[in-house]
């Protein structure tokens, strides 16, 4: 059996090809769209029950009058208006009754002559001779017929034929998106089906050895394929049909075959394998397309530089970056406009709002950067907080309200700069309660309870000190904090200023977390565990972000020493526990609730106070009152205890 020869270092380096030409966003768009016909792909007739959110392909004129006949708008009597003139309570006008009763759907057989009336129901057809309807409550029944106690004018309480829609009148126009209202109009003019633009069919392929399908058993180094689900849903939102063809490993032959299959659709979108790295093959497979083939590979964007745009036979083929945020941004930047045109949708116009950037932001010169932000309604107007999760984040796009575009020539955007925020959704809906500060699963529970009760909430995890700063600036309703004064050991209260009020929360146990069976920690007290961790140069710490209450406690325990891993800053207890559980680190500090979730060993260090700082100007807001009430609710307190927290 012969052993496969491994590539040399030079060969491996050669595979790490760089982008041949990095172009601007506008240039990439122009090159891509130059080879495409940005128009609907055709039309089809569909039943009205399937027409919701479809785009009308023809202008529709009514072939009938609506209503189709003169009809009564009330229950009453069809009359000649002049017969009622002068009628009053004390001087009613008497009318004789015809024999027939005009119910909806029944054609009149008797005319209404002078001095006579016909009983008519709402929706009934107005008989010949009548020109008005008097409401039944404005009449009295007599032995001879009825007595009218008020007069009516000609046309009163009557909808005449064609008054709503006239025969030949245009009711809907080509390009209109069909909602329930438009479908009702189409049904009212007698249409059972309608001509709509055909949905563009988009083939979606995920690539990479590390990618596995949701629902599969997790394995080391694998990531679940979120891109296919996100892209397919986005295609549907834009009026297309997303066809997920599956996951292809880093195998050129298999990917070639999958691409050939994908070319039977209207568009092909591949996810991953575009960065020109040693394992990235998507661009190599796509590079074999012709007419014209790849038109742009590498765009001066952040996130999204590796985007690859190609066209073959007027059919778009796009390789999106593998990282979720990069993939979504580049999809909406380059693919969405084409899909909208194919589906017959109008050009999108994002709404924007002005907001203040509370933090300084550094950017990379030479690339247009899209900065995802979450918007908060503050005492000084809207504040745009950077999400700070990077292009690999799955959640950043769903949590963000919009994005700020930083010009490629800007390196710094100073704090308090007013920025233009392009909204991601159809509109901005400010949260009723905003929480900024330290993350805690207990706070997650409280906010979920408020959300379930119909109150929109928003949370941003920036650490205790960041939360205190936001509360002082009036940028949040509550700030979750657990900051210990290193001199006194007292939690939270020493850090308040006169503008803030402290709401007592609950207690949680902080401790050293480690993998069960690790002799350096198992069965040791805190002092022994710290000493043995510091004595072993291979014992790696996973630290916490500066400004967090846990980081302050870590620094107090280490007394100025910085073991391996000290510089790695994670932003949550869960991140610490995950690093230890996966063996990327050997120990860290986290709360016991999280340690149990990850099956880790735990050595208690001290109980800390997790409380809430609230700007005094916001104490009487309905959302803050609801939050305080929830904290005192017996069922809530019992649930917090079940989660492992101590609450007095």
């Amino acid at each position: 059996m012969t052993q496969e020869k491994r590539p040399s270092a030079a060969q491996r380096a050669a595979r790490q090809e760089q982008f041949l030409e990095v172009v601007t966003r506008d240039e990439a768009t122009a090159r891509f769209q130059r080879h495409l016909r940005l128009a609907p792909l055709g039309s089809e007739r569909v039943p009205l029950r399937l027409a919701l959110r479809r785009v009308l392909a023809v202008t529709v004129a009514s072939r009938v009058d609506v209503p189709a006949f003169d009809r009564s708008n009330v229950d009453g009597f069809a009359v000649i208006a002049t017969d009622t003139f002068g009628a009053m309570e004390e001087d009613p006008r008497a009318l004789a009754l015809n024999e027939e009763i005009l119910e909806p759907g029944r054609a009149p057989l008797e005319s209404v002559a002078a001095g006579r009336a016909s009983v008519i129901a709402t929706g009934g057809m107005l008989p010949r001779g009548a020109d008005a309807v008097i409401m039944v409550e404005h009449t009295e029944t007599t032995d001879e017929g009825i007595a009218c106690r008020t007069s009516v004018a000609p046309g009163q309480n009557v909808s005449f034929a064609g008054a709503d829609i006239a025969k030949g009148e245009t009711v809907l126009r080509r390009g209109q998106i069909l909602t329930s209202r438009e479908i009702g109009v189409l049904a009212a003019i007698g249409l059972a089906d309608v001509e709509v633009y055909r949905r563009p069919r988009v083939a979606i392929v995920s690539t990479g050895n590390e990618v596995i399908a949701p629902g599969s058993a997790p394995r080391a180094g694998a990531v679940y394929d979120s891109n296919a689900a996100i892209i397919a849903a986005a295609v549907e939102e834009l009026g297309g049909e997303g066809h997920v063809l599956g996951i292809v490993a880093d195998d050129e032959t298999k990917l070639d075959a999958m691409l050939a299959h994908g070319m039977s659709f209207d568009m092909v979108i591949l996810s991953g394998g575009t960065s020109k790295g040693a394992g990235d093959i998507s661009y190599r497979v796509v590079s074999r397309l012709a007419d014209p083939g790849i038109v742009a590979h590498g765009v001066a964007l952040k996130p999204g530089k590796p985007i690859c745009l190609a066209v073959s036979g007027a059919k778009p083929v796009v390789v999106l970056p593998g990282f979720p945020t990069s993939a979504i941004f580049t999809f909406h930047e380059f693919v969405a406009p084409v899909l909208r045109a194919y589906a017959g949708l109008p050009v999108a116009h994002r709404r924007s709002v002005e907001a203040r950037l509370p933090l300084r932001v550094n950017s990379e010169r030479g690339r247009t950067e899209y900065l995802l932000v979450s918007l908060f309604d503050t005492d000084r107007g809207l504040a745009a907080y950077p999400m700070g999760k990077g292009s690999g984040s799955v959640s950043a796009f769903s949590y963000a309200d919009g994005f700020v575009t930083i010009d490629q020539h800007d390196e710094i955007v100073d704090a308090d700069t007013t920025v233009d925020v392009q909204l991601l959704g159809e509109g901005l809906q400010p949260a009723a309660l905003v929480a900024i500060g330290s993350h805690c699963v207990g706070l997650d529970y409280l906010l979920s309870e408020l959300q379930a009760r119909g109150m929109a909430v928003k949370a941003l995890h920036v650490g205790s000190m960041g939360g205190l700063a936001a509360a002082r600036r009036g940028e949040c309703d509550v700030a979750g904090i657990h900051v210990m004064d290193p001199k006194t050991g007292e939690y939270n209260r020493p850090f308040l200023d006169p503008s803030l009020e402290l709401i007592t929360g609950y207690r949680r146990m902080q401790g050293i977390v480690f993998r069960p069976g690790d002799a350096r920690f198992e069965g040791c007290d805190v002092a022994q565990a710290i000493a043995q961790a510091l004595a072993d140069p291979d014992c790696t710490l996973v630290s916490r972000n500066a400004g967090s209450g846990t980081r302050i406690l870590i620094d107090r325990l280490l007394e100025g020493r910085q073991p391996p891993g000290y510089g790695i800053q994670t932003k949550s207890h869960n991140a610490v526990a995950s690093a230890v559980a996966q063996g990327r680190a050997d120990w860290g500090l986290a709360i016991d609730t999280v340690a149990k979730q990850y099956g880790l060993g735990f050595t208690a260090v001290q109980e800390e106070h997790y409380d809430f700082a609230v700007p005094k100007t916001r104490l009487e807001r309905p959302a803050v009152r609801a939050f305080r009430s929830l904290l005192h609710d017996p069922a809530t307190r019992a649930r917090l205890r079940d989660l492992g927290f101590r609450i007095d």
Side-chain angles (χ1 to χ4, degrees), residues 46-56 175-183 186 194 196-200 233 235-240 343-346 426:
V46 298
L48 289 189
R49 62 183 177 83
L50 300 178
L52 186 64
R53 291 188 291 273
R54 299 297 295 270
V55 181
L56 199 58
Q176 194 159 357
I177 299 171
L178 299 177
T179 70
S180 57
R181 298 183 296 277
E182 287 76 31
I183 289 173
L186 294 172
V194 63
V196 295
Y197 288 128
R198 180 173 71 79
R199 285 192 176 117
V235 167
E236 297 283 340
E237 287 175 341
L238 292 166
L345 293 171
E426 294 182 358

Side-chain angles (χ1 to χ4, degrees), residues 48-81:
L48 289 189
R49 62 183 177 83
L50 300 178
L52 186 64
R53 291 188 291 273
R54 299 297 295 270
V55 181
L56 199 58
V58 294
T59 294
V60 177
S62 179
R63 294 175 293 184
V64 297
D65 289 323
V66 179
F69 52 88
D70 299 344
R71 69 185 182 195
S72 175
N73 293 333
V74 297
D75 290 337
F77 302 92
V79 298
I80 299 171

